[in-house]
Amino acid sequence: MSPPEMSRPVKPETVFDRDAEWDALVAFTCDARPGAGLGVVSGRLRQGKTHLLKELTAALGGFCFGAQQAARAESLRRLGDELARYTGEAPPPHRTGWEDVVDALLALGERGRPVPVVIDEFPDLVRQSPELPSVIHGAYRRLRETGRGNRTRLLLSGSSLPVMHRLFGAAAPLHGLADLELTLRPLDFRQSARFWHIDDPRLALLVHAVVGGTPAYRHYVAGDAPSRADDFDAWVCRTVLNPRTPLFLESHHLLQEETDHWDRALCHSALTAIATGCRTQGEIAECLGTPLTDASHCLTLLQTNGLLYGTPDAFRPHLVRLRIAEPLLAFEHAAVWPHRSALEQQDSVEVWRRARPVFDSAVAGPHFAQICRDWVMDHAGQAVFGARPATVAHGSLSDPEQRAGPDLEAEVVVRGRADARSKPLLSVGLARWDRVMDLRHLEHIRRLLTLLAARGEDVTHTRPACYSGVGFTPSLRAAEADGQVVLVDLDRLYQGDQHDSDSVAARRTER
């Protein structure tokens, strides 16, 4: 007869949101099946992994060890001492290898109930002791061979995404052992608004364009949040542009911690190029005046560390557009980087006065378009586009009638799930952060649809959409009433068309 299932703890109030993540961790830990389990928790720095795992072990009486960058012998000694305090036993003799330590950790689950055992920042230990993954694999193999009753739930956590991927990749000793693979991502734009206690959607989007959804950044400014829209500029000056706050140099620290010791100067320059409008590898290499191979190496490093991502153009899939994943890095490299030296000498208010127009055009505008794409995937009801979206991306096409002119662009192109031939085109939309949208924008979309139809795309059921940060003219509202266009304003982005919350959470943990 299988052992009874443990009572599952309620998520502590100190953990904001993270409902799906908490439930997944609790389900893994409290699984009543016999046998030791292995879980993997990853995610970029500052997302709250450590806090979440400490609360889990506190709620379930588990053990948590936080690794540090230290010599191998020191880590072995620290872990042995902390394990002795946890068990109440005498500290072990000096250990020279990981085999005994891993066996002692796994032995915590031999007392009848599932026990969460967390090793936080596991990559730091592997850097000191490359043999550690093989040691863990061997310990699990011995448990299976001996048939010993063991219900340890070992959770290995880490912020170094390349190392975590490599440790559990196809050629790694730990590949295939994990019963749980969980990634903590930044809070989305709606969660962030609640986290910062901001009700005004325009203000919420501006704040999100600066600090994104990283929970730690609110603590970095001692909880200081702008009280109203006209406080935003002053808030920027007293927080992210204030040399006395940890947020002031966070972008430098983030790049230093995430990219190890490669050419950080080139990484900064690449991020500046992207933040100010370059989107492809070729454009970035040209802007930097560096060989394409060097630029490609740098961009791959940034992507591997989760600081940059690329998405194929919705109409020209061979064209991959690059975008900075961390809003604080985009804010820094577009609006602040040129004024860094001035901030050391001048009043931040004057510096921000000069930087604000660049923020509005190069940061807030593109960020608004990304929020619109996120809304389509996570919050738009199925009825909005006639089917559930599968992908949403930026799209661009050349117009044969305007050979010398710029490409026609659409910031929010929505496709459905693939059929036998292609992904159906559900919607083509424009996103304008600082413009009242009118019928000219609808005509722009219709021109795009005409060009797409001429290329053989089925646009029969494609719905035009306009996304605006400041509103729509009465004539465009009338077109919406006639079913000609979908209109999405800030209120709808932050409050409307909510999917079922469980499916939203599931999609966010999958992506």
Side-chain angles (χ1 to χ4, degrees):
M1 190 171 77
S2 60
E5 187 172 327
M6 292 176 62
S7 59
R8 302 195 173 192
V10 176
K11 187 190 73 174
E13 293 183 0
T14 58
V15 177
F16 176 82
D17 203 274
R18 304 298 192 195
D19 295 336
E21 292 87 346
W22 176 263
D23 290 345
L25 287 168
V26 169
F28 164 76
T29 303
C30 296
D31 188 340
R33 290 177 297 178
L38 178 66
V40 184
V41 181
S42 59
R44 281 184 21 233
L45 293 164
R46 326 287 197 254
Q47 304 309 319
K49 297 185 300 299
T50 299
H51 179 64
L52 184 66
L53 292 170
K54 283 185 175 179
E55 291 290 352
L56 178 78
T57 54
L60 292 170
F63 173 75
C64 184
F65 174 75
Q68 297 175 341
Q69 295 183 9
R72 180 173 180 274
E74 180 184 349
S75 294
L76 283 165
R77 183 171 58 253
R78 280 188 55 238
L79 182 49
D81 291 344
E82 291 189 27
L83 187 56
R85 282 194 292 271
Y86 173 78
T87 61
E89 300 173 356
H94 179 63
R95 290 184 170 122
T96 59
W98 281 104
E99 288 80 1
D100 291 343
V101 174
V102 171
D103 286 342
L105 288 173
L106 293 178
L108 296 177
E110 295 178 353
R111 305 180 182 183
R113 66 177 180 87
V115 177
V117 176
V118 172
I119 299 180
D120 195 20
E121 293 307 335
F122 181 63
D124 284 342
L125 293 183
V126 177
R127 289 188 182 99
Q128 307 157 21
S129 306
E131 76 279 9
L132 184 53
S134 295
V135 170
I136 294 174
H137 177 270
Y140 273 81
R141 187 185 67 248
R142 288 193 299 275
L143 285 176
R144 288 196 299 267
E145 290 173 351
T146 60
R148 287 163 53 193
N150 189 302
R151 301 174 72 195
T152 299
R153 305 296 183 247
L154 180 62
L155 287 157
L156 305 177
S157 173
S159 301
S160 176
L161 299 184
V163 176
M164 293 298 286
H165 292 159
R166 186 167 65 250
L167 289 175
F168 295 90
L174 296 177
H175 177 69
L177 279 182
D179 305 294
L180 171 72
E181 296 186 19
L182 180 67
T183 301
L184 253 68
R185 305 187 187 280
L187 303 174
D188 75 12
F189 67 98
R190 287 189 176 185
Q191 294 167 325
S192 296
R194 297 196 304 273
F195 185 68
W196 285 82
H197 302 298
I198 299 175
D199 296 325
D200 180 345
R202 185 173 183 82
L203 177 59
L205 193 140
L206 286 170
V207 170
H208 196 266
V210 177
V211 294
T214 298
Y217 293 162
R218 186 156 190 249
H219 304 297
Y220 280 18
V221 296
D224 183 2
S227 56
R228 55 191 183 279
D230 59 8
D231 184 40
F232 174 73
D233 291 326
W235 174 79
V236 170
C237 293
R238 67 178 182 260
T239 55
V240 68
L241 299 186
N242 182 356
R244 293 183 295 277
T245 69
L247 207 54
F248 181 72
L249 291 176
E250 170 62 11
S251 59
H252 294 265
H253 295 155
L254 188 62
L255 199 61
Q256 183 172 354
E257 292 167 344
E258 296 279 19
T259 57
D260 274 343
H261 302 291
W262 206 70
D263 191 342
R264 296 194 188 105
L266 187 60
C267 289
H268 277 296
S269 295
L271 289 171
T272 300
I274 297 166
T276 52
C278 297
R279 288 291 180 264
T280 66
Q281 287 195 11
E283 291 175 350
I284 295 163
E286 183 178 357
C287 179
L288 299 182
T290 190
L292 184 60
T293 52
D294 289 351
S296 178
H297 185 183
C298 171
L299 297 172
T300 299
L301 176 72
L302 293 170
Q303 287 183 279
T304 303
N305 283 277
L307 299 179
L308 196 67
Y309 63 90
T311 53
D313 186 278
F315 304 139
R316 297 183 285 185
H318 64 280
L319 177 65
V320 176
R321 295 177 177 276
L322 296 170
R323 181 173 173 80
I324 299 172
E326 171 54 62
L328 185 65
L329 285 176
F331 171 82
E332 164 72 24
H333 289 86
V336 181
W337 190 256
H339 307 287
R340 267 289 168 189
S341 59
L343 282 169
E344 304 286 349
Q345 307 164 17
Q346 301 177 21
D347 181 61
S348 61
V349 174
E350 174 59 24
V351 172
W352 179 240
R353 184 188 65 79
R354 299 199 303 271
R356 178 66 196 261
V358 177
F359 168 77
D360 289 334
S361 61
V363 179
H367 192 76
F368 173 69
Q370 182 58 47
I371 292 299
C372 293
R373 292 189 285 267
D374 292 343
W375 176 83
V376 168
M377 289 302 297
D378 291 337
H379 302 288
Q382 184 169 331
V384 176
F385 303 113
R388 177 161 291 176
T391 63
V392 58
H394 187 289
S396 60
L397 279 180
S398 58
D399 188 343
E401 295 183 3
Q402 302 289 334
R403 294 184 182 276
D407 289 345
L408 293 178
E409 304 204 19
E411 291 78 15
V412 190
V413 179
V414 186
R415 292 190 180 276
R417 301 189 181 279
D419 56 21
R421 294 183 302 169
S422 63
K423 292 181 178 179
L425 185 61
L426 302 181
S427 176
V428 173
L430 303 182
R432 299 292 182 267
W433 165 243
D434 56 355
R435 294 184 188 177
V436 175
M437 301 185 75
D438 56 29
L439 290 176
R440 290 173 298 176
H441 295 97
L442 181 55
E443 289 304 315
H444 178 106
I445 298 170
R446 287 171 174 164
R447 176 59 182 162
L448 269 170
L449 294 177
T450 299
L451 294 174
L452 290 167
R455 291 176 31 156
E457 184 103 47
D458 183 1
V459 299
T460 308
H461 303 291
T462 304
R463 302 184 182 183
C466 291
Y467 306 77
S468 174
V470 289
F472 312 96
T473 61
S475 57
L476 196 57
R477 284 289 187 190
E480 176 192 34
D482 290 340
Q484 299 178 47
V485 62
V486 174
L487 301 185
V488 182
D489 58 14
L490 285 169
D491 286 337
R492 190 171 183 181
L493 283 176
Y494 275 86
Q495 300 169 11
D497 299 276
Q498 178 69 57
H499 277 314
D500 174 75
S501 59
D502 291 338
S503 63
V504 172
R507 283 196 304 280
R508 291 195 75 247
T509 54
E510 289 170 1
R511 281 165 28 199

